[in-house]
Amino acid sequence: MLPANRSCLLLCLAVLTASVSGAADNTRASTAGSQALLGIWVPDAAPRALLTSNGKTPPLTAEAAKLYAERRQRLAKGDAAFDPTTWCAGPGMPRILTMQYPFEIRADANRTVFIHGWYRWFRTVDMGPGTVDPPLPLTMGFPVGHWEANTLVIRTSGLIDATVMDASGLPHSEQLTLTEHLRVLPDGRLEDRITVNDPENYTLPWDTVLTFHRDANARVTDDVCPDRLARGEPAEQLPKAKTAVPAKAAASQVAASVKPAVTPSRLAGIWEPKTFGIMVPNAPLSAAGRDIVNRNAAAMQSGKIMQTAWVSCRPGAVSTMTMPREKIVILESGDEVTLLFEMPRMVRRVRMNASHPAQLDADYVGDSVGHWEGATLVVDTLGFNGYAELDARGQPTSAKLHTVERFTPSADGNSIDIDTTVEDPEYYTQPFTIKRSWKKSPARHPFEYDCMENPRQEDFENAYYVRERYRPVCMRVEGEGMAPSKMVCRRPE
Amino acid sequence: MSMLPWIMAACLTRAATAHHSTAEFDYTRQVTIKGTVKEVQWTNPHSYIQLIADGAAGEQVQWSVEIGSPSLNINMGWRKNSVKVGDVVTMNLSPARNGKPYGTLRVLTFADGHKLEGVAAKIGAGPGPGGPPPGPSPAAPAAATKAP
């Protein structure tokens, strides 16, 4: 066993042992605090403009105050283009906590994860010792956490200045550090007291407090922001509750999520693809499937640039598995195995030892249930919406798609072989299996991939859209001469 | 359908981008421009430098030059502030096929002679049409040429 794995196992054992045998008081308290934080939280207020904990405007510097005033004037005229979320780019921190979407906290021994309800964003908090020297700024930064009694303390640096602090355009620089204190209040709500330290924009550090509550009907679903833009809807609009899971099941989801892990993790950790696969050869295409592939090929041969779900920032779960890139965080907690993909950004939830609902609302990720067969995790997924291509040729899928994935870790724990069996009678004459492998990543923290951050006019000229849904709504247009570039959103047809 | 054309496309299109197809650039050609940096967009899925350069008739031409993406460039020694607005730089690039002042960076040279490479100079094969971004996956930089 390699040292990293041994350390991981020891950490897992330490947490489990502490929870059952009464170790140090602090450990016992933090375990209780951890369990109390887990599950789904809904914003109490989702403020559009952050105030200090005393209800005052934050102590802006003169220059920052001028910028903020300009943004508020623009906002009053209906111009919110200073906020990247308006074209579905990353909200960053703390903006994402001010959105009206629920989020879910899950955790294992090494990391605490915030899975947000807005456009597949997640935040992974390293719970290991030491600090992080951010190699590049990200919207979510590089959060590192620890427990102080029943309070989770998260310090985040490396936050890119392309985001705003809230919907009113409160500015920040890349000197920003956030220190959060999260705890469950006596009334059962979650409090996140955030200390903002940004000497470039604020004359003093200041605190703001956000609170959240439980709601048994709340769900964190697969949210795809560009689809809202394509429908002519605002980027930030609470999605309709899914009908597939009745209230009873949603309530049990909260209960399930607070169960501690009872078995040592087998897949948990950070992984990366061993190879960068982009082709799925020898797929048994049906006549309908072959027609689509031939049509795609003809468009390419005519000089068109093909736009698929992957490149239009709405990849499906199956193409994430067949064309994986960058790091994948796996969390085994409670009754769920959670897969967090850096690129393309996606959250896959595998409910363990569960069944598919009788009625499924189709989406890009489908409904995944799993079980263990020895050391192999078997994941069965139904309920796809048919908007995914298997590979770079645009081999199609339909709503009839059914996948069975078998995740088998190697004996030394350093790699995972994944066999994905694809069944889709609409486009393939018989089931077939695609093989991929992941290896342990040396990374401590995943980066992030903000697919919608900079859609460029040039990219979409001479484009061939495999599906009309993939046509972008917002694009950056360069200004003439020294005029700055700006994002321009068209009215969907 | 034979896989060969697709694999060849992937092999021949030297990767420079994230997110979109590489087919829009002509990697068989190189253009060198010199100018002043107007804007640096350190963004996903592509980072860009807007460069104001002199055109053939002495007019000012604005070039959009893709340089990679933050996570790709960081692995090649770039930092977010490596290039600043107002810097005078020379850029060797592969131009867009459509003839517009648009390209993907091969090498950027600063006034003092030091250089930064773009992904077009660095990476192996791209994904070809419709696929995910090519690029320097730490796992296997050159594996994009191989069908799995």
Side-chain angles (χ1 to χ4, degrees):
Chain A
M1 181 181 292
L2 291 177
N5 292 329
R6 190 181 301 126
S7 301
C8 178
L9 180 57
L10 288 173
L11 271 170
C12 294
L13 289 172
V15 170
L16 290 170
T17 304
S19 66
V20 298
S21 65
D25 286 348
N26 193 48
T27 306
R28 202 162 48 221
S30 67
T31 302
S34 168
Q35 295 305 316
L37 255 60
L38 300 182
I40 297 173
W41 296 97
V42 178
D44 283 349
R48 307 305 288 171
L50 287 173
L51 298 174
T52 69
S53 54
N54 297 325
K56 296 180 179 174
T57 300
L60 290 151
T61 63
E63 191 171 344
K66 183 181 173 190
L67 174 62
Y68 187 43
E70 289 171 1
R71 287 176 175 172
R72 297 206 68 143
Q73 286 173 2
R74 289 174 60 184
L75 199 57
K77 296 174 184 172
D79 175 11
F82 53 77
D83 181 356
T85 64
T86 55
W87 66 89
C88 297
M93 274 292 290
R95 172 75 175 97
I96 200 162
L97 291 177
T98 70
M99 303 179 92
Q100 57 182 320
Y101 290 72
F103 62 84
E104 180 170 355
I105 301 177
R106 303 194 73 88
D108 67 9
N110 296 315
R111 54 188 55 85
T112 300
V113 174
F114 292 69
I115 302 171
H116 292 278
W118 192 81
Y119 196 14
R120 298 178 169 176
W121 278 99
F122 58 88
R123 181 164 68 123
T124 56
V125 181
D126 301 320
M127 298 300 291
T131 57
V132 168
D133 181 18
L136 76 166
L138 305 175
T139 70
M140 290 294 194
F142 291 81
V144 177
H146 69 276
W147 286 95
E148 293 179 2
N150 285 336
T151 298
L152 174 61
V153 182
I154 304 173
R155 188 174 186 280
T156 304
S157 58
L159 290 152
I160 195 164
D161 59 5
T163 65
V164 287
M165 301 263 288
D166 60 22
S168 72
L170 202 60
H172 75 85
S173 75
E174 289 176 4
Q175 292 184 41
L176 173 67
T177 58
L178 300 173
T179 305
E180 298 171 76
H181 287 78
L182 291 115
R183 64 182 179 125
V184 176
L185 300 171
D187 64 6
R189 291 180 303 147
L190 175 68
E191 178 191 79
D192 189 357
R193 181 174 290 271
I194 306 171
T195 303
V196 177
N197 191 351
D198 179 5
E200 192 171 315
N201 283 282
Y202 301 96
T203 57
L204 293 168
W206 54 280
D207 285 0
T208 190
V209 176
L210 299 172
T211 55
F212 309 87
H213 62 273
R214 300 279 192 192
D215 180 345
N217 291 314
R219 297 196 65 214
V220 176
T221 56
D222 182 53
D223 179 63
V224 180
C225 181
D227 283 351
R228 269 193 299 285
L229 294 186
R231 291 192 297 264
E233 299 170 1
E236 184 181 355
Q237 185 176 68
L238 199 62
K240 290 177 183 172
K242 279 189 146 189
T243 57
V245 179
K248 184 180 174 185
S252 68
Q253 186 179 16
V254 174
S257 66
V258 301
K259 289 180 184 174
V262 294
T263 53
S265 299
R266 283 168 274 196
L267 300 176
I270 302 186
W271 305 86
E272 57 192 34
K274 274 187 180 175
T275 57
F276 171 29
I278 58 162
M279 298 295 184
V280 175
N282 305 318
L285 285 160
S286 67
R290 192 170 299 282
D291 281 349
I292 291 174
V293 172
N294 288 344
R295 194 167 66 218
N296 295 346
M300 286 299 300
Q301 285 163 3
S302 73
K304 297 279 188 183
I305 310 296
M306 188 158 74
Q307 302 286 332
T308 61
W310 210 112
V311 297
S312 77
C313 306
R314 39 170 74 78
V318 68
S319 41
T320 304
M321 300 304 292
T322 56
M323 296 185 278
R325 284 291 309 274
E326 305 303 342
K327 290 171 271 300
I328 304 117
V329 176
I330 300 182
L331 209 68
E332 289 183 54
S333 58
D335 294 339
E336 178 176 305
V337 175
T338 313
L339 296 96
L340 305 152
F341 293 83
E342 175 186 325
M343 184 178 188
R345 187 182 69 251
M346 180 180 288
V347 179
R348 293 191 61 194
R349 324 283 299 263
V350 181
R351 292 178 293 115
M352 295 301 295
N353 305 312
S355 303
H356 295 296
Q359 286 187 311
L360 284 168
D361 283 351
D363 62 18
Y364 293 92
V365 297
D367 183 75
S368 294
V369 295
H371 66 275
W372 292 98
E373 290 182 4
T376 297
L377 172 66
V378 182
V379 178
D380 187 291
T381 306
L382 291 169
F384 293 105
N385 63 4
Y387 285 89
E389 291 75 37
L390 292 183
D391 70 356
R393 290 191 295 169
Q395 296 194 102
T397 64
S398 78
K400 296 177 183 174
L401 175 65
H402 171 212
T403 63
V404 177
E405 296 149 290
R406 298 178 63 86
F407 295 75
T408 304
S410 62
D412 63 6
N414 287 329
S415 63
I416 306 172
D417 289 331
I418 304 118
D419 289 356
T420 300
T421 299
V422 173
E423 181 182 359
D424 187 344
E426 185 80 19
Y427 294 124
Y428 303 93
T429 57
Q430 61 188 42
F432 59 102
T433 299
I434 301 161
K435 293 182 177 295
R436 296 287 185 268
S437 292
W438 299 344
K439 64 180 181 180
K440 278 272 188 193
S441 171
R444 174 179 178 184
H445 195 285
F447 287 158
E448 62 187 29
Y449 179 61
D450 192 355
C451 183
M452 289 290 284
E453 191 174 9
N454 194 8
R456 303 272 307 194
Q457 188 178 26
E458 298 96 329
D459 294 346
F460 299 105
E461 292 176 347
N462 196 32
Y464 163 68
Y465 298 95
V466 172
R467 309 287 293 272
E468 186 57 27
R469 181 182 288 202
Y470 305 155
R471 188 181 295 275
V473 170
C474 299
M475 287 186 277
R476 183 181 298 277
V477 177
E478 294 306 327
E480 294 290 332
M482 297 308 291
S485 61
K486 63 179 179 180
M487 200 65 66
V488 175
C489 299
R490 66 175 171 85
R491 184 183 294 275
E493 295 165 1
Chain B
M1 177 184 294
S2 168
M3 291 291 295
L4 187 59
W6 297 93
I7 296 173
M8 284 183 64
C11 293
L12 291 173
T13 50
R14 303 285 299 173
T17 66
H19 178 74
H20 64 69
S21 168
T22 55
E24 62 197 292
F25 299 117
D26 183 352
Y27 292 88
T28 66
R29 294 179 57 213
Q30 295 186 30
V31 172
T32 299
I33 56 176
K34 183 177 181 181
T36 304
V37 174
K38 170 193 165 186
E39 189 172 322
V40 180
Q41 298 164 7
W42 181 259
T43 50
N44 284 291
H46 324 120
S47 296
Y48 275 81
I49 291 175
Q50 298 298 126
L51 193 79
I52 304 292
D54 287 338
E59 78 284 16
Q60 288 202 320
V61 177
Q62 181 175 180
W63 281 79
S64 298
V65 183
E66 182 186 67
I67 58 174
S69 71
S71 63
L72 303 188
N73 289 66
I74 209 82
N75 290 328
M76 299 192 305
W78 291 64
R79 291 297 177 266
K80 189 188 170 197
N81 296 321
S82 292
V83 181
K84 299 178 182 65
V85 172
D87 284 352
V88 176
V89 299
T90 301
M91 300 175 100
N92 176 253
L93 51 89
S94 289
R97 294 181 189 278
N98 63 13
K100 294 186 176 179
Y102 172 46
T104 182
L105 178 68
R106 302 178 70 87
V107 180
L108 180 151
T109 306
F110 291 92
D112 67 1
H114 82 273
K115 298 177 189 293
L116 286 169
E117 289 187 319
V119 283
K122 199 74 176 174
I123 305 173
S137 170
T145 58
K146 300 174 184 173

